Structures are given as structure tokens and as C-alpha cells.
Amino acid sequence: MRLVTYRADVESAARLGAIAGDLVIDLARFGGAKNVPFPSSMLEFIDLGPRAVAIATRLIAECEGGFPLGTAVPLANVTLLAPIPRPRKNIFGIGLNYTQHVAESAKSLDTSPDLPRQPVIFSKPPTSVIGPGEPILHDGKITQQLDWEVELAVIVGTKARSVPRTDALRHVFGYTVCIDMSARDCRRAGQWIYSKGQDSYCPLGPVVVTADEIPDPQSLDLWLTVNGVEKQRSNTAYMLFKVDELVADISRGITLEPGDIIATGTPAGVGAGRDPQEWVWPGDVIVATVDGIGTLRHPVVAR
């Protein structure tokens, strides 16, 4: 199932939808027509657990395109928002999780050239999240080194506390695309949250693909362009720490809860690792794709 948070017009509230062909099915209204109480927000739907996904998938399939009146709207007529517009907690970011990115970071960002023995974890606050097409803000008074990173993001579905790696993927609700924007000149004493957590620095979307449709999250191509020029291209197979390892590792000390988000790290090709280094500026356009999930396109604008 491909789930979205959408707005039908500028005056309406955000709604939870499921994509069926070129339509968005409003799950709360659809559930009402089928006498099944589906919620109207992504977080509330995640809270219901895996059974809700199975029921919604079955009911939509049974309609065979003939959806009840008032429950479907053309996808082209809606505005997609971040799938979880306001996460309950900080996003968990994973640094240095692709071998070649470790090497390029060591050359330009004073990080260790040695491969991490454990996941490197930082966070991005909920206020950093923006949805598809929204502008990435460039504040020239704060940064002159705004950089890009395409990432696979994991959405937690059920509470995970000290889970073994063998059970970790059972706690995943689904996957989405993340662009981890980074102001490289805003690191403070080695700490990354101000560099990576500023407003608009966490584009998410355009959809959440539920875990049942991505049985192997370690086989997904991902790539990013700036102004149409490819900067990054890799595959999640090259993660140092796989999705199941990340869920297991974080949950040893921090309880993961439904709706939590893990941005799993970026491959090589970031601006800081280039010679000469490259940065994005107002007027640039960043496009990031994870195969099987979707594409984010964001203009960079002056703040």
C-alpha cells in the first residue's frame, strides 16, 4: 500500500489517503462507507498496527476501481504533504553508513577514515520536516555550505525495545524518501544537530510504502540530482549497518515507538566530498529518488 498525507485545497485540513492508480482514496471516508473506522491521520493509522494495513488493502482491492461516492479524488488535484507532517519525536539520523561516504567525509569533514564499529546516530527535530515541493531554506547569514544527502527513511510501526536483529523488520511500518540537508559550516564541537536540524532540512515523502511491499529494503537504488546533474547514485545494499541492524541497535537503549523515523544514511557524492567542493544556493533545484518509493523535488530559496 502507498499512503500519503494530502490536502484537497489550501483551506482544507490534512487527510490520510491511499493511492490507487491515479486516485487518492480518503481512508477515513472510505472506511466510513465500509463501516470500518479508519482514522484521518498517518500517525493514528500507524498506531492501529499491521492489521489495519491488511484490512485497508483488502477493501480497496475489492472495489476494483469502483470506489464509494466522495471517497476518491484524482491524485493530480491534491497537494501532497510530508507523510508525517509533525513527527512525535526527533528523526533518528544515521551518519557515515556507506563505505565510500566514510572515505569522502574523512577527506573534507575531519571525520575518522575508519569504518564505524557501531551506527553513528544524530537527530533532526520535527520542525525540520517539509513535504514534497516545499522550499528548502537557505539562510546566508548562517551557512555558506549547504549540502545534499539522499536517504531511505524507515517508519517504525510497533514499539521496539531491545529487539533482536532477527525480529527487527517486524517492527517496520514502511519506508519513504528523505533528503538530509546539512549546513556543513554549522557543526559545533563535533555535534551535528544544528547543522542538520534547521527548519526545512528534512524533506520527506512523497509517499510511505508499507513494509509488505518492500520485503528487502537492502536492494533499492537511490540517487540525487542538483539542477538536473546527477550527484549521487548507489543502492541500499551498500549500507554498513542494514535496516534491521539499525532498529535493533537503537532499540537497545532508546525505545522506538510507532511513527518514529530513521533516516538510514547517504552514499558518496555529497557536495563536501567533491573537489572542488560544491554547495547549493537559492535558485537551485534538488531532486531525490528511492526506486520503488518515489521522488522528491525541492527548490532552494533564500530565507
Side-chain angles (χ1 to χ4, degrees), residues 22-44:
D22 58 358
L23 298 173
V24 175
I25 312 306
D26 187 292
L27 279 184
R29 292 171 181 150
F30 178 71
K34 295 292 184 178
N35 296 313
V36 179
F38 291 137
S40 60
S41 77
M42 187 76 72
L43 284 173
E44 291 176 303

Side-chain angles (χ1 to χ4, degrees), residues 200-218:
S200 80
Y201 279 18
C202 190
L204 287 176
V207 305
V208 171
V209 179
T210 52
D212 58 299
E213 295 198 9
I214 302 182
D216 181 11
Q218 307 306 153

Side-chain angles (χ1 to χ4, degrees), residues 83-106:
I84 302 177
R86 179 74 181 205
R88 291 167 176 152
K89 289 156 54 177
N90 281 21
I91 293 90
F92 294 93
I94 307 299
L96 306 174
N97 202 28
Y98 286 74
T99 304
Q100 291 182 329
H101 183 52
V102 173
E104 71 177 359
S105 294

